[in-house]
């Protein structure tokens, strides 16, 4: 069995909290001399976005979902209507991306969850970490729940939370019960 561990974090997010949490998790394992690799999400974005869009389309008339996503809609409108804002935002995103590329021990690019699942023998365990990674749509996507990791490979959660006070449907609750029992 491989001696390195896989980190499933939000290193790719363009905000300080996500990147600092991901970096701190990596640094913790570096400091205790545990070989680690952060799973690069680039090749998985298509599958993740497809599942995310499907979920949000199913919630298009849900007032809470609309309220939660309103900030994203406003940002898209602002980027299209304010070129200075868009330019500054791209500069910010580029700085986050540069930090991620230089500071994280990124894995190779996996093209799908199936490919990543097959590569799980390369890792001793998978560690998922950060707050609010198990939101209802994230549970359905399966990335932060480590649903792609085969049985027999350790799965550990480090300070991960749901981000909601209650899961909305019986289907999502069943999925949560399943992945939590595998941790």
């Amino acid at each position: 069995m491989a001696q390195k561990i896989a980190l499933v974090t939000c290193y790719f997010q363009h905000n300080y909290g996500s990147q600092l949490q991901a970096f701190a998790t990596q640094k913790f394992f570096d400091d205790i001399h545990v070989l680690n690799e952060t799973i690069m999400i680039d090749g998985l974005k298509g599958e993740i976005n497809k599942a995310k869009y499907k979920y949000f389309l199913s919630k298009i008339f849900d007032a809470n979902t609309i309220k939660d996503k309103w900030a994203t809609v406003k940002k898209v409108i602002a980027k299209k209507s304010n070129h200075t804002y868009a330019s500054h935002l791209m500069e910010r995103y580029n700085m986050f991306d540069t930090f991620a590329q230089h500071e994280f021990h990124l894995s190779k690019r996996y093209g799908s969850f199936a490919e990543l699942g097959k590569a799980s023998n390369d890792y001793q365990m998978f560690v998922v970490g950060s707050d609010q990674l198990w939101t209802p749509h994230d549970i359905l996507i399966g990335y932060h729940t480590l649903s792609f990791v085969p049985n027999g490979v350790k799965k550990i959660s480090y300070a991960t939370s749901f981000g909601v006070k209650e899961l909305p449907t019986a289907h999502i609750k069943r999925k949560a019960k399943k992945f939590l029992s595998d941790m």
Side-chain angles (χ1 to χ4, degrees), residues 143-171:
Y143 180 65
H144 292 115
T145 63
L146 306 180
S147 298
F148 59 87
V149 179
N151 292 335
V153 179
K154 285 185 181 178
K155 303 174 193 178
I156 296 174
S157 167
Y158 179 72
T160 313
S161 68
F162 287 94
V164 294
K165 67 179 179 177
E166 186 176 332
L167 296 175
T169 66
H171 173 67

Side-chain angles (χ1 to χ4, degrees), residues 11-13 20 29-30 32 36 64 71 75 78 90 93 95 99 102 105 113 116 157 163 166 179:
Y11 78 93
F12 53 87
Q13 294 289 357
L20 288 173
F29 287 109
D30 287 348
I32 62 170
N36 64 84
N64 290 326
K75 187 182 283 186
M90 286 310 302
Y93 289 176
M95 287 190 286
F99 178 82
H102 289 96
H105 316 309
F113 286 129
L116 179 55
S157 167
E166 186 176 332
F179 83 78

Side-chain angles (χ1 to χ4, degrees), residues 92-125:
R92 173 189 166 107
Y93 289 176
N94 287 335
M95 287 190 286
F96 278 112
D97 290 341
T98 299
F99 178 82
Q101 291 166 5
H102 289 96
E103 300 300 327
F104 288 97
H105 316 309
L106 295 176
S107 72
K108 72 175 198 167
R109 185 182 192 275
Y110 295 101
S112 68
F113 286 129
E115 182 184 346
L116 179 55
K118 288 177 187 170
S120 64
N121 290 335
D122 295 340
Y123 302 103
Q124 181 182 7
M125 69 181 71

Side-chain angles (χ1 to χ4, degrees), residues 134-147:
W134 294 335
T135 62
H137 75 274
D138 284 313
I139 291 171
L140 294 175
I141 291 168
Y143 180 65
H144 292 115
T145 63
L146 306 180
S147 298

Side-chain angles (χ1 to χ4, degrees), residues 15-176:
N15 69 66
Y16 295 105
S18 294
Q19 275 205 351
L20 288 173
Q21 178 283 321
F23 189 68
T25 300
Q26 176 183 282
K27 182 156 177 26
F28 168 77
F29 287 109
D30 287 348
D31 288 351
I32 62 170
H33 307 290
V34 173
L35 189 60
N36 64 84
E37 195 168 74
T38 296
I39 300 300
M40 185 191 326
I41 198 170
D42 294 5
L44 306 171
K45 283 182 181 177
E47 284 184 69
I48 289 171
N49 287 339
K50 183 178 177 182
K52 200 181 285 189
Y53 293 140
K54 184 178 175 182
Y55 174 80
F56 286 121
L57 280 175
S58 75
K59 298 291 185 184
I60 194 111
F61 297 111
D62 179 69
N64 290 326
T65 302
I66 293 168
K67 181 180 169 191
D68 288 345
K69 293 301 162 191
W70 184 241
T72 303
V73 171
K74 287 192 322 188
K75 187 182 283 186
V76 169
I77 292 168
K79 283 191 321 191
K80 295 213 182 278
S81 63
N82 184 332
H83 297 296
T84 302
Y85 173 76
S87 174
H88 290 167
L89 197 58
M90 286 310 302
E91 184 179 350
R92 173 189 166 107
Y93 289 176
N94 287 335
M95 287 190 286
F96 278 112
D97 290 341
T98 299
F99 178 82
Q101 291 166 5
H102 289 96
E103 300 300 327
F104 288 97
H105 316 309
L106 295 176
S107 72
K108 72 175 198 167
R109 185 182 192 275
Y110 295 101
S112 68
F113 286 129
E115 182 184 346
L116 179 55
K118 288 177 187 170
S120 64
N121 290 335
D122 295 340
Y123 302 103
Q124 181 182 7
M125 69 181 71
F126 281 73
V127 177
V128 62
S130 192
D131 65 336
Q132 299 185 30
L133 292 183
W134 294 335
T135 62
H137 75 274
D138 284 313
I139 291 171
L140 294 175
I141 291 168
Y143 180 65
H144 292 115
T145 63
L146 306 180
S147 298
F148 59 87
V149 179
N151 292 335
V153 179
K154 285 185 181 178
K155 303 174 193 178
I156 296 174
S157 167
Y158 179 72
T160 313
S161 68
F162 287 94
V164 294
K165 67 179 179 177
E166 186 176 332
L167 296 175
T169 66
H171 173 67
I172 293 174
K173 288 175 185 174
R174 281 191 303 276
K175 285 182 100 41

